[in-house]
């Protein structure tokens, strides 16, 4: 089968990976995606494999541009990464613009580029509160850490670390704990589950922050505690690129739009 020709995103390693994966998906998954004229319904395939049960993913617009129905997207999911929710909220109206498929995907690609620029700049134009708002997650626990046994998750790691630095071991007994967390870029080689840290550490006093971040990140020489230098930006880029695949790259490949570069 012919290689996919869509490239709604500007060139960069992350963007190229996005397009390459779209091409791979097209080779193995002929499940359909569509952009329906005159841009009032967007339907996206929900599986990467053919002949498998598909999760419904679609957005239906009213004629005034408001969303009439939304199904299968993270924007409605409780606890989902705010970055993804905000991106989806902003990108859906872009599908209503343009007079051709190519124009639509160029506009959508430009929106995607702007969000990638935020990540690639490591949030330098944002305040600390804005970085936390867009990149932190709140994960609820269905049962306590003590009752979870050997099960591992970002929630459990965060809860254990929260109990450690606050000195409140009873946190581990709570069955209704909400864990507010970020994924750190260290220890190198550790899984994301092992790199989850509580957001609350960044509001702690300097010596407390120093003690626990050095311990959790496995770096006793660490002296820079700016959250922008601790966050794993590659992790969040990958999360966002996965959304680009579902909403932009794979549908564009099926629509057979030409390889154009969106505004940087």
């Amino acid at each position: 089968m012919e290689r996919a020709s869509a490239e709604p995103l500007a060139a960069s390693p992350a963007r190229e990976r996005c397009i390459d994966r779209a091409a791979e998906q097209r080779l193995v998954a002929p499940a359909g995606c569509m952009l329906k004229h005159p841009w009032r319904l967007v339907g996206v395939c929900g599986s990467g494999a053919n002949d498998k049960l598909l999760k419904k993913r679609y957005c239906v617009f009213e004629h005034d541009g408001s969303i009439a129905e939304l199904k299968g997207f993270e924007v409605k999911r409780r606890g989902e990464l705010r970055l993804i929710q905000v991106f989806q909220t902003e990108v859906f109206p872009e599908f209503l613009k343009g007079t051709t498929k190519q124009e639509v995907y160029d506009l959508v690609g430009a929106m995607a580029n702007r969000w990638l620029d935020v990540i690639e700049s490591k949030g330098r134009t944002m305040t600390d509160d804005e970085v936390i708002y867009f990149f932190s997650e709140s994960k609820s626990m269905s049962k306590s850490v003590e009752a979870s046994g050997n099960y591992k998750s970002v929630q459990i790691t965060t809860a254990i670390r929260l109990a450690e630095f606050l000195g409140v071991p009873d946190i581990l007994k709570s069955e209704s704990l909400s864990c507010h967390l970020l994924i750190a870029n260290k220890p190198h080689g550790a899984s994301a589950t092992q790199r989850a840290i509580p957001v609350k550490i960044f509001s702690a006093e300097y010596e407390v922050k120093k003690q626990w971040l050095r311990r959790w990140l496995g770096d006793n020489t660490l002296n820079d505690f700016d959250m922008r230098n601790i966050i794993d930006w590659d992790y969040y880029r990958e999360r966002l690129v996965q959304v680009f695949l579902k909403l932009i790259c794979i549908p564009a490949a099926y629509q057979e739009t030409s390889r154009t570069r969106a505004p940087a």
Side-chain angles (χ1 to χ4, degrees), residues 161 186-187 197 201 206-225 230:
R161 290 175 170 177
K186 294 179 182 178
I197 58 175
I201 190 63
Y206 179 82
E207 289 301 324
V208 175
K209 188 187 304 183
K210 175 181 175 181
Q211 174 189 350
W212 291 105
L213 284 176
R214 281 185 170 186
R215 176 174 174 177
W216 296 335
L217 274 61
D219 184 356
N220 290 327
T221 65
L222 185 68
N223 287 310
D224 184 354
F225 305 109
I230 291 174

Side-chain angles (χ1 to χ4, degrees), residues 2 8 22 29 41 87-88 90 92 108 111 122 127 130 142 154-155 166 176 197 204 226 232 236 240 249 261:
E2 180 181 74
L41 168 64
F87 168 71
Q88 289 185 350
E90 291 185 352
F92 284 130
V108 171
M111 172 70 71
K122 298 184 177 181
T127 65
E130 287 172 332
S142 58
V154 292
Q155 298 98 304
L166 291 179
S176 58
I197 58 175
D226 183 338
D232 184 354
Y236 291 104
L240 191 57
C249 300
R261 179 175 296 179

Side-chain angles (χ1 to χ4, degrees), residues 74-90:
E74 292 82 355
V75 67
K76 294 291 186 179
R77 190 176 300 161
R78 181 181 300 178
E80 182 56 63
L81 188 64
R82 192 69 58 89
L83 169 71
I84 292 174
Q85 291 180 324
V86 173
F87 168 71
Q88 289 185 350
T89 300
E90 291 185 352

Side-chain angles (χ1 to χ4, degrees), residues 121-124 128 131 182-186 188 197 202 213 217 219 222-233:
S121 70
K122 298 184 177 181
R124 296 300 175 189
D128 287 357
V131 171
L182 285 162
I183 303 300
N185 53 22
K186 294 179 182 178
H188 296 303
I197 58 175
F202 292 104
L213 284 176
L217 274 61
D219 184 356
L222 185 68
N223 287 310
D224 184 354
F225 305 109
D226 183 338
M227 67 179 68
R228 294 163 188 78
N229 297 324
I230 291 174
I231 290 174
D232 184 354
W233 294 103

